[in-house]
Amino acid sequence: MPIDVDEVQRRKEIAQATLAVAARDGARAITIRAVAKELGGSTAMVTNYVPTRIALITNAVRAAESRWRADLDDHVGELGGKERLRATVEWHLSTEPEDLLLRTLWVEMLSTAHTDPAGVDRRQPRESRQEFLEASIAAGVPDAELAADMLSLLTRGYFVSTIEDPAYWTPERAGRIARAVVDGLVGD
């Protein structure tokens, strides 16, 4: 008799195992075999749900998105206007220890965009841009569309910069940038 497995739960377990492998051995060490070993099972235990290495990485990044969304909602809360825009930008320009690992995986995922366009998560960047647009509108930014585009590019560049030189991009430095950008968009 086949074992009944909760697919959502199994994908979460695979995401956690993927992050554990990456945290311990680096992003390049992520393989189906390494993740299966981390789970204590066979490669079929992984490939039945996540068939490729990039799918493993994408699965781990997507699993983090729901946590990010809840964290952003908590950070922004009921703020409005300029405060909401500033809080949204500050949150995007913040770094928790797991963020650096996930950003490394994100870059790894993006590196295959030319060979596996389906492996790239386009939903999350669009949602982030929409958050910037809504916050820019609420703050009264004259060209909210342009502001959303600028903030999207700024935060994506920040993600790469924190991978390149994490010691330089301190929370204080990122906070200063967030304040300066919002002040420039909205005015003091």
Side-chain angles (χ1 to χ4, degrees):
M1 176 174 242
I3 299 173
D4 189 24
V5 177
D6 179 346
E7 182 175 347
V8 172
Q9 182 59 35
R10 180 55 53 94
R11 285 181 178 276
K12 286 180 184 178
E13 292 166 357
I14 292 169
Q16 290 170 345
T18 302
L19 290 174
V21 169
R24 184 182 58 245
D25 303 324
R28 298 275 183 197
I30 296 172
T31 63
I32 289 171
R33 188 176 313 279
V35 172
K37 182 178 179 186
E38 184 72 26
L39 287 168
S42 70
T43 56
M45 179 182 194
V46 174
T47 58
N48 284 339
Y49 303 94
V50 187
T52 67
R53 177 179 182 276
I54 290 303
L56 283 171
I57 292 169
T58 303
N59 180 59
V61 170
R62 286 184 178 154
E65 289 173 2
S66 63
R67 292 192 312 270
W68 292 338
R69 189 84 27 234
D71 188 50
L72 175 60
D73 290 345
D74 287 345
H75 185 76
V76 173
E78 298 297 319
L79 295 174
K82 183 177 178 179
E83 290 77 25
R84 177 179 174 194
L85 179 58
R86 179 175 284 146
T88 301
V89 175
E90 285 175 347
W91 182 86
H92 280 276
L93 296 183
S94 64
T95 299
E96 297 295 324
E98 187 180 72
D99 293 341
L100 290 175
L101 176 62
L102 287 163
R103 289 177 190 152
T104 301
L105 297 182
W106 173 73
V107 168
E108 191 82 11
M109 180 180 64
L110 290 179
S111 72
T112 66
H114 67 288
T115 58
D116 183 13
V120 176
D121 184 4
R122 289 179 172 77
R123 184 183 42 135
Q124 195 278 332
R126 289 177 184 146
E127 288 175 358
S128 293
R129 187 197 174 279
Q130 185 64 32
E131 290 160 0
F132 289 132
L133 177 61
E134 291 169 6
S136 295
I137 291 168
V141 175
D143 191 344
E145 291 282 341
L146 178 61
D149 287 345
M150 287 173 34
L151 294 171
S152 293
L153 290 174
L154 171 71
T155 56
R156 294 300 191 207
Y158 173 77
F159 293 170
V160 172
S161 295
T162 59
I163 293 168
E164 291 172 333
D165 192 358
Y168 182 81
W169 293 105
T170 64
E172 295 78 21
R173 184 176 300 278
R176 253 182 90 218
I177 292 168
R179 287 186 296 280
V181 167
V182 172
D183 289 347
L185 290 170
V186 179
D188 292 330

